[in-house]
Amino acid sequence: MIVLNLLLISSLSPLSSSFTTHHISKILRNSPHSKFPPLNSNTNVEQTQDTSREKVMTFSYDMSIDPKYEKPTYPGTGNGLSGGDPDKTEEYDVIVIGSGMGGLSCGALSAKYGSKTLVLESHIKCGGSAHTFSRMHKGEKYSFEVGPSIFEGLDRPSLNPLRIVFDMLDEKMPVKTYTGLGYWTPTGYWRFPIGSQSKFEDLLLAQAEDGPLAVREWNALRKRLKTLGGSTAAVSLLNLRQDAGFLATTAGSLPYVATHPDVFLDLPLTFDSLHKTVDKIVTVPFLRNFIDTMCIFCGFPAKGAMTAHMLYIMERFFEESACYSVPIGGTCKMGETLQRGLEKFGGKLQLNAHVNKIIVDEETGRATGVELKNGNIIKARKAVVSNATPFDTVKMLKPDEQKLPAGVETWRSELGKLPRHGAIMHLFLAIDATDLDLSHIEDPAHLVVQDWGRSLQDSQNLCSFFIPSLLDKSVCPPGKHVIHVYSSGGEPYEPWEKLEPNSPEYEAYKEKRAEVLWEAVERCIPDVRKRLEFSIIGSPLAHEAFLRRDRGTYGMAWAAGTSAPHAGLLGGVLPFPFPNLKTPVDGLLRCGDSCFPGIGTPSAAASGIIAANTMVKVDKHIDMLKELGGRDPLYKFVDPGILGDIYKPIVGWSTPSPELNIPSMADDAQQS
């Protein structure tokens, strides 16, 4: 979205093979966890007791009242004691905390830009929520996904930022493709066909209460958003940076703005809740339900989802070449692909290295490095970038141990209280596929809705299941299938923290809350329990301990319609629902799913790219865009062309912005 992008910048795995609940129990038993009650503990739970379709759910905690709360971690994921050198202080240009899609994208691109880059990961695996764990059973290996499983645009050059960064790094990731998403609803099974407008209209005619009206309303909605949607091919998220240099890097989009002046009128709509537009155009229940499920991947249904989230879907999911992808070998291959790119350009990924503290120089108020859990200190000459959640980032500033710049404490407090999505329930199944007939489905990914009258954020109402072994035979033995079933991000955390893991009460509650996940798979495979080889239930406690996600959260949850705190200048004129990428601490940036453009692997990757762009001079950024534009005809539009060259000398002197423009870095760049 071209003008969205311009104004934005002006705002200047649950369980591993050796898992036992005994390990989690030992961790939690020794944690001060329950001593610090959440800010709105009653509200958090009460809102899940009676969920209606119109309810928008968010969960809140006050991180300032539990500064000593250390998240439980599962021993099989590492002790976090690696990294650094006890005999000398290591120094890098850029230090990235966390190796999720945002952190790895930022680190890999920073390395390609020429910065000496270090990515620190607390876990023993990279990828954040996008990785895979394995378990041995009867001498054979089964691999399971732990996070996202529905990916579009990874099979070829596309507008998916994750695929684009692969291409920028000249790295390949083999995938298998499929062209639909299965829906199991109260009225039966149907399939959303990606890659065909005509087939989707056939679906509306066959399933909607009033098929012809549904087709007309769908096309009317697409027409209403067409100008904004078309801008996705006028400027890419990769063109963005958070300083005045954006005027040069996005200059190639000016012809689109000149020929589509109405895009300015739609600026508030871009950031506003999608339901306000949908309510004016769409009346057919089936179509409204479909739109809500497409939005829910960002955490909210149409009510609460930013309109921008739907633009890509409406423009790209109906192109003939569109399809979903299954990474061969599991979603862990996404992180491994970015890791290869990082290391190709001289960057380093250090696993099992937990960051205990972001060091802030008391004289300059600048982030100058990190202190690891093992006590080693690593310095950052240019910047520290946190890919951790905002709730975890604020813990690392340690105000009791160091003096922080003016305004940081308010920022830290407000960031820690930001609303978030709830936790997630997981069910991992390994089954015998002997004589199993799955001819009634075409795709590995499925959504299951129990009741359209209840909130789609309700973890007992909406869930997904994914059978990667339908396409990727490497994830389990021949004649078997692996299935990952997971709830929406609305599972309340409070009932879980009161239970002692491995106790009869805890095990009984796990079975109770996971029953809806079993029932979801039974819609497709009625005898799934009889076919079981083994199963694992992942509770929010396990999700938190394994994935380093505070209280097992799905991510930040600022509903569209109002500006989030610290949204920058843009938040003062438009309802921008994301905190700024920059922070009140000079030299400290953020990236990941709590930053623009939001939740999801493509969005997280884009946030990391924007952070990396922001740390270099605009000349390097434009050179990178020109290089990418020459890689494939689809990417030609990212090259700002002659207009970028015109703007470059006007704004180039000011990039990167003062808090990132370190003289020693500029001198080194000139010498190299």
Side-chain angles (χ1 to χ4, degrees), residues 3-12 242 267 271 563-564 566-578 580 596:
V3 182
L4 177 158
N5 296 340
L6 296 179
L7 285 188
L8 165 70
I9 304 308
S10 72
S11 62
L12 316 179
Q242 199 158 353
L267 281 178
F271 300 105
S563 293
H566 307 284
L569 295 179
L570 184 58
V573 295
L574 292 171
F576 190 64
F578 298 98
N580 210 334
F596 175 83

Side-chain angles (χ1 to χ4, degrees), residues 362-555:
E362 294 191 359
E363 292 186 6
T364 64
R366 178 181 184 79
T368 58
V370 298
E371 178 185 294
L372 302 181
K373 184 178 180 180
N374 60 19
N376 293 334
I377 291 175
I378 306 176
K379 290 187 176 180
R381 293 198 297 165
K382 189 166 194 176
V384 175
V385 183
S386 177
N387 183 212
T389 70
F391 320 112
D392 297 299
T393 299
V394 298
K395 296 177 190 176
M396 292 185 276
L397 286 172
K398 308 289 184 182
D400 295 338
E401 300 179 15
Q402 59 188 349
K403 180 181 178 181
L404 298 175
V408 172
E409 187 54 40
T410 299
W411 170 83
R412 179 180 175 275
S413 176
E414 292 184 355
L415 205 67
K417 296 175 185 176
L418 287 174
R420 63 179 80 181
H421 294 291
I424 298 174
M425 286 291 300
H426 299 264
L427 175 64
F428 305 96
L429 304 175
I431 66 170
D432 182 8
T434 302
D435 299 322
L436 176 60
D437 182 9
L438 292 178
S439 60
H440 55 294
I441 63 173
E442 301 178 49
D443 315 290
H446 299 259
L447 294 181
V448 183
V449 179
Q450 305 293 333
D451 183 351
W452 288 117
R454 290 163 56 192
S455 170
L456 296 183
Q457 294 178 281
D458 185 344
S459 62
Q460 294 287 294
N461 186 39
L462 174 70
C463 68
S464 304
F465 66 86
F466 184 55
I467 316 175
S469 47
L470 285 174
L471 294 179
D472 181 5
K473 305 303 181 183
S474 70
V475 295
C476 63
K480 311 295 181 182
H481 276 309
V482 289
I483 308 173
H484 176 208
V485 200
Y486 52 102
S487 73
S488 61
E491 180 72 9
Y493 187 78
E494 288 77 5
W496 292 96
E497 65 179 340
K498 298 174 182 177
L499 300 174
E500 179 70 21
N502 212 31
S503 68
E505 294 80 10
Y506 175 72
E507 295 301 321
Y509 195 58
K510 280 204 309 182
E511 295 291 342
K512 176 183 177 181
R513 298 299 288 181
E515 180 61 23
V516 68
L517 305 182
W518 280 102
E519 293 172 355
V521 182
E522 286 175 327
R523 297 284 298 273
C524 179
I525 308 174
D527 62 346
V528 64
R529 300 191 205 219
K530 294 180 180 179
R531 294 179 171 276
L532 192 65
E533 293 285 338
F534 66 88
S535 65
I536 302 171
I537 298 174
S539 74
L541 299 185
H543 184 99
E544 175 181 43
F546 193 86
L547 292 180
R548 313 292 203 267
R549 299 282 286 190
D550 185 81
R551 293 175 171 88
T553 181
Y554 182 59

Side-chain angles (χ1 to χ4, degrees), residues 150-378:
I150 301 175
F151 309 104
E152 183 275 336
L154 295 181
D155 60 312
R156 67 188 72 187
S158 74
L159 299 186
N160 182 329
L162 184 58
R163 171 63 200 224
I164 296 177
V165 77
F166 287 170
D167 291 335
M168 294 174 77
L169 300 170
D170 197 21
E171 289 293 336
K172 309 296 182 186
M173 184 186 73
V175 300
K176 290 287 184 70
T177 62
Y178 59 104
T179 57
L181 181 62
Y183 277 74
W184 302 84
T185 73
T187 56
Y189 171 80
W190 50 273
R191 178 178 182 266
F192 163 55
I194 189 175
S196 175
Q197 172 69 12
S198 63
K199 289 183 179 179
F200 181 67
E201 291 183 358
D202 289 342
L203 172 67
L204 295 178
L205 291 171
Q207 294 287 338
E209 295 80 357
D210 185 334
L213 178 59
V215 170
R216 292 196 299 272
E217 290 181 343
W218 172 250
N219 288 324
L221 181 63
R222 293 191 73 191
K223 181 179 180 181
R224 173 65 186 88
L225 300 176
K226 183 174 180 58
T227 298
L228 285 175
S231 68
T232 60
V235 66
S236 168
L237 292 167
L238 278 75
N239 291 85
L240 303 186
R241 53 186 296 123
Q242 199 158 353
D243 57 31
F246 85 93
L247 291 170
T249 58
T250 63
S253 62
L254 293 178
Y256 184 86
V257 174
T259 56
H260 299 78
D262 52 327
V263 74
F264 286 103
L265 300 177
D266 282 342
L267 281 178
L269 171 65
T270 304
F271 300 105
D272 213 343
S273 179
L274 176 65
H275 85 283
K276 296 180 181 179
T277 302
V278 171
D279 287 351
K280 294 176 182 178
I281 298 173
V282 181
T283 62
V284 178
F286 180 88
L287 182 54
R288 292 176 65 89
N289 291 339
F290 169 76
I291 292 170
D292 275 346
T293 60
M294 286 290 102
C295 293
I296 203 65
F297 294 110
C298 75
F300 291 108
K303 186 176 183 179
M306 191 169 64
T307 300
H309 284 297
M310 194 65 179
L311 297 178
Y312 182 92
I313 292 174
M314 298 185 75
E315 284 295 313
R316 305 300 161 193
F317 277 33
F318 298 94
E319 292 183 348
E320 293 299 323
S321 62
C323 62
Y324 294 121
S325 298
V326 175
I328 300 302
T331 55
C332 59
K333 298 301 177 181
M334 296 191 298
E336 292 172 9
T337 301
L338 291 172
Q339 179 184 355
R340 289 197 303 272
L342 168 72
E343 294 171 347
K344 175 194 297 184
F345 294 101
K348 179 180 178 180
L349 170 64
Q350 176 65 63
L351 299 173
N352 194 35
H354 184 77
V355 174
N356 181 58
K357 176 182 176 181
I358 297 172
I359 300 172
V360 179
D361 185 272
E362 294 191 359
E363 292 186 6
T364 64
R366 178 181 184 79
T368 58
V370 298
E371 178 185 294
L372 302 181
K373 184 178 180 180
N374 60 19
N376 293 334
I377 291 175
I378 306 176

Side-chain angles (χ1 to χ4, degrees), residues 57-206:
M57 295 195 299
T58 62
F59 299 75
S60 296
Y61 303 90
D62 187 349
M63 303 302 293
S64 67
I65 66 174
D66 58 0
K68 297 180 181 180
Y69 165 58
E70 183 175 351
K71 286 191 299 183
T73 55
Y74 168 57
T77 66
N79 59 16
L81 292 174
S82 298
D85 188 331
D87 297 322
K88 64 178 181 180
T89 300
E90 296 180 353
E91 188 172 64
Y92 291 82
D93 298 330
V94 175
I95 295 176
V96 181
I97 303 171
S99 69
M101 294 298 99
L104 281 173
S105 295
C106 178
L109 189 53
S110 292
K112 183 174 172 64
Y113 274 133
S115 294
K116 184 181 179 183
T117 304
L118 173 66
V119 178
L120 295 166
E121 171 55 54
S122 176
H123 205 285
I124 60 171
K125 294 183 178 181
C126 68
S129 296
H131 72 241
T132 307
F133 78 95
S134 299
R135 181 166 184 173
M136 299 299 294
H137 177 71
K138 296 181 180 179
E140 296 185 298
K141 182 180 178 181
Y142 296 78
S143 297
F144 296 92
E145 309 299 336
V146 303
S149 54
I150 301 175
F151 309 104
E152 183 275 336
L154 295 181
D155 60 312
R156 67 188 72 187
S158 74
L159 299 186
N160 182 329
L162 184 58
R163 171 63 200 224
I164 296 177
V165 77
F166 287 170
D167 291 335
M168 294 174 77
L169 300 170
D170 197 21
E171 289 293 336
K172 309 296 182 186
M173 184 186 73
V175 300
K176 290 287 184 70
T177 62
Y178 59 104
T179 57
L181 181 62
Y183 277 74
W184 302 84
T185 73
T187 56
Y189 171 80
W190 50 273
R191 178 178 182 266
F192 163 55
I194 189 175
S196 175
Q197 172 69 12
S198 63
K199 289 183 179 179
F200 181 67
E201 291 183 358
D202 289 342
L203 172 67
L204 295 178
L205 291 171

